[in-house]
Amino acid sequence: MNKMLQRCWCFLAAICCCASFCMAGEPVLIVSSDYEPYTSSRNNGSGVVLELIKQAFAEMHRDVTFQFYPWVRCETMVGAGEAFGAAPYFKNEERLKKYDFSDPIVYSSNRFFFNKEKFPKGFSWHTLKDFRGYRVGGIRGYWYIPDFEQAGLTIDYVSDDQANLRKLVFARIDFLVLDEFVGQKILRENFSAAEAAKIGVLERPESFIKFHLMISRKYPDHAELAAELNQGLRIMKKKGSYQAILQRYGLPSHFAVDDPDK
């Protein structure tokens, strides 16, 4: 009888080990939307943030797969545990109530874009309340919406950044906030030189803030996977491959994030 029980236990243990091995071999699902040069659906997922995430997991012998959706759906999938994480996202108090976050990946420099024909002398601001009385373009779910609403700004909602910039080019809104690299890339690739020349960037930044992977609390083994990602990023920084990816995408050296424990 004891031998029979031992055989059963060995058989169950083998099944568990096999199941664990199979789970370890499954690619980690990460969702995103086009936000070049940080994320891109081109070439099955590219952009500096997605490449850093992919290579960090590769350091830990873990495969990653990317799927692309609108930002709102990305958040829904992460919240439901259908995806491990969504990138790139800023960390704030509201999101911390629902999600975990990786260590910071890179910085993002966000600025107010404006129409130079409408404001030939530029525009000086100190607080968001200085934009009261103007129409500010906005996208639902973006980090700045709660602050804009609290400041009492008039927000003109659109579906994406290109539509937002198009409204600015044709002076249908007065300002919008966007990462400066993302905005310049959209202007170069989707507008004529004459249209792009109408758009300027205010000197004072809206924010210089760290991008993270926003992580599901319902995805299987999410804590272990987060630890692997963070460890992979630290390994990349020591090897120099982290810095090399930033350089390849043209991000300045000050966009690199030091290890959080330094």
Side-chain angles (χ1 to χ4, degrees), residues 11-255:
F11 179 73
L12 290 172
I15 291 176
C16 290
C17 288
C18 181
S20 297
F21 177 80
C22 291
M23 283 298 291
E26 293 181 357
V28 178
L29 176 58
I30 292 172
V31 291
S32 185
S33 195
D34 285 310
Y35 201 63
E36 297 186 31
Y38 300 100
T39 63
S40 174
S41 57
R42 305 181 195 187
N43 302 319
N44 195 30
S46 60
V48 61
V49 168
L50 296 188
E51 283 209 26
L52 287 170
I53 291 172
K54 183 177 181 179
Q55 291 304 315
F57 272 121
E59 293 287 351
M60 308 303 292
H61 309 288
R62 179 83 63 175
D63 290 331
V64 176
T65 186
F66 299 113
Q67 293 179 9
F68 291 82
Y69 303 99
W71 293 115
V72 173
R73 184 175 177 187
C74 289
E75 294 185 28
T76 299
M77 291 180 68
V78 173
E82 298 171 12
F84 168 62
Y89 272 81
F90 301 132
K91 186 191 298 186
N92 60 33
E93 292 182 6
E94 190 63 29
R95 290 171 177 167
L96 282 168
K97 296 176 183 177
K98 303 177 183 178
Y99 310 100
D100 292 335
F101 286 82
S102 71
D103 287 345
I105 300 173
V106 294
Y107 276 98
S108 169
S109 177
N110 305 287
R111 294 181 179 272
F112 280 95
F113 286 66
F114 71 101
N115 189 307
K116 291 188 287 187
E117 292 183 348
K118 192 166 186 179
F119 298 93
K121 296 182 180 180
F123 186 87
S124 178
W125 70 282
H126 300 283
T127 70
L128 290 178
K129 293 180 180 180
D130 293 329
F131 293 96
R132 286 180 178 176
Y134 298 100
R135 298 189 68 82
V136 182
I139 299 175
R140 297 187 188 279
Y142 271 33
W143 75 96
Y144 51 72
I145 293 298
D147 291 335
F148 283 8
E149 291 176 342
Q150 187 175 2
L153 305 190
T154 301
I155 307 172
D156 193 317
Y157 289 101
V158 292
S159 59
D160 57 50
D161 295 309
Q162 184 176 332
N164 218 9
L165 280 165
R166 186 165 298 281
K167 281 197 169 187
L168 190 63
V169 166
F170 293 101
R172 294 171 187 160
I173 58 175
D174 299 305
F175 301 97
L176 64 83
V177 171
L178 188 57
D179 178 277
E180 58 182 312
F181 289 105
V182 175
Q184 296 298 344
K185 187 173 181 64
I186 293 174
L187 287 170
R188 285 195 308 271
E189 296 184 355
N190 298 278
F191 295 86
S192 69
E195 290 171 336
K198 295 180 181 179
I199 304 304
V201 180
L202 298 186
E203 182 178 356
R204 178 187 176 93
E206 185 269 340
S207 61
F208 188 67
I209 191 170
K210 299 169 184 175
F211 273 139
H212 301 256
L213 177 69
M214 189 169 70
I215 296 172
S216 172
R217 292 174 178 167
K218 296 182 179 179
Y219 194 84
D221 300 322
H222 67 277
E224 292 82 356
L225 291 171
E228 287 186 13
L229 172 59
N230 294 337
Q231 178 65 16
L233 287 170
R234 287 191 287 269
I235 292 172
M236 290 178 66
K237 291 172 184 177
K238 290 179 181 178
K239 293 170 61 175
S241 54
Y242 171 92
Q243 294 82 355
I245 290 176
L246 264 64
Q247 291 175 4
R248 181 150 51 83
Y249 280 91
L251 264 66
S253 60
H254 66 276
F255 275 59

